[in-house]
Amino acid sequence: MLPSNEIAPGTVWLVGAGPGDPELLTRKAERLIRAADIIFYDALVGPAVLALASPTTECLSVGKRSGRHSKVQETINDLILAAAQAGRRVVRLKGGDPSIFGRSAEEAAHLSAHGIPVHICPGITAASAAAASSGVSLTLRGLARSLTFVTAHARDGEPIDLNWPALARAESTLAVYMGRAAAGEVATRLMAAGRAPSTPVLIVVNASLPTERCIRGQLSALAFLVRTISDDDPTLLLIGEAVRSSGAPDLVAACDHARPYETA
Ligand code: SAH
């Protein structure tokens, strides 16, 4: 537990920044952001979250976006370590939950190996935000008994290394992170492994942000459905019966939501 709203000098907090809307930060995350001397943040951490930091806090982008690595992981590890060794109160801010496709284990291991105390503050992951925005449940009694988080990010030219037969089981929901570019391959592999082409899919772009967009359709059309999404927009694919629209039949339909806040 955090004893006060302070971070001990020379320690590092890996903090989940949630999906983008600052209202979806935990109270602890907000306190840590306010208490930091220095914040290292990823590309997916938006300005509305960073705006919570004190004006005296140094905020450094160490963002990595697919295909464009602005800093390699070893450099990031060393920068965070150096800040902690200099006795600063360090927050390492990551989109969503730091434990989901966030490489937090590597950063924590590097710091621990050098004797730096590391703590983790969880965050709301993109799949939860996407489901909430679209009014669906990720599990559904009798229809979706399991939920699997996968990443469809593969090294250039290599096939995605996933257990397709296991993922093709009908009574499960798949949350695919970093899956926009590989959406066609994901759909083809799932259908080849036996998942029905009519399986509902829900694509949520910029979940929880004012620019949020939801696209509904079915698995056989997934490659087509992602075509209008730009490379830079974080995109989550949800696949399975649980995400079936309760309203009109699943045609390609964009849904619109009330915007609870405006970015600065
Ligand atoms: N730790 C993060 C995931 C990091 S991987 C989490 O728990 O959410 C980055 C991928 O997460 C993106 O490529 C996208 O697939 C997904 N993602 C993150 N934020 C998102 C958002 N606001 N809307 C949609 N997808 C998002």
Side-chain angles (χ1 to χ4, degrees), residues 51-225:
L52 297 169
S54 147
T56 58
T57 299
E58 196 179 341
C59 293
L60 288 178
S61 165
V62 287
K64 287 184 290 175
R65 297 307 302 266
S66 67
R68 282 178 278 133
H69 289 245
S70 54
K71 292 211 193 309
V72 292
Q73 190 63 47
E74 293 71 33
T75 312
I76 297 172
N77 293 350
D78 289 341
L79 283 170
I80 299 170
L81 177 64
Q85 285 174 332
R88 304 182 80 183
R89 298 171 167 87
V90 184
V91 160
R92 172 69 172 109
L93 202 50
K94 290 174 173 286
D97 183 272
S99 74
I100 297 179
F101 306 127
R103 302 190 73 169
S104 57
E106 289 164 58
E107 293 178 15
H110 186 70
L111 293 162
S112 299
H114 289 83
I116 300 295
V118 184
H119 308 278
I120 299 174
C121 175
I124 293 181
T125 192
S128 299
S133 297
S134 321
V136 300
S137 174
L138 293 171
T139 61
L140 209 54
R141 211 151 64 97
L143 278 179
R145 298 164 196 268
S146 68
L147 167 63
T148 309
F149 296 87
V150 294
T151 172
H153 182 65
R155 287 176 202 278
D156 275 348
E158 288 180 23
I160 307 165
D161 184 21
L162 289 171
N163 182 346
W164 298 104
L167 297 179
R169 281 199 316 267
E171 290 184 358
S172 71
T173 305
L174 292 186
V176 185
Y177 288 70
M178 294 176 266
R180 188 198 50 78
E185 184 181 350
V186 169
T188 307
R189 298 285 210 121
L190 286 174
M191 290 187 292
R195 196 97 196 212
S198 60
T199 305
V201 297
L202 174 63
I203 302 160
V204 184
V205 185
N206 290 317
S208 88
L209 292 163
T211 48
E212 176 180 283
R213 199 152 64 98
C214 309
I215 303 164
R216 288 182 179 280
Q218 56 183 38
L219 189 57
S220 57
L222 188 57
F224 165 77
L225 295 170

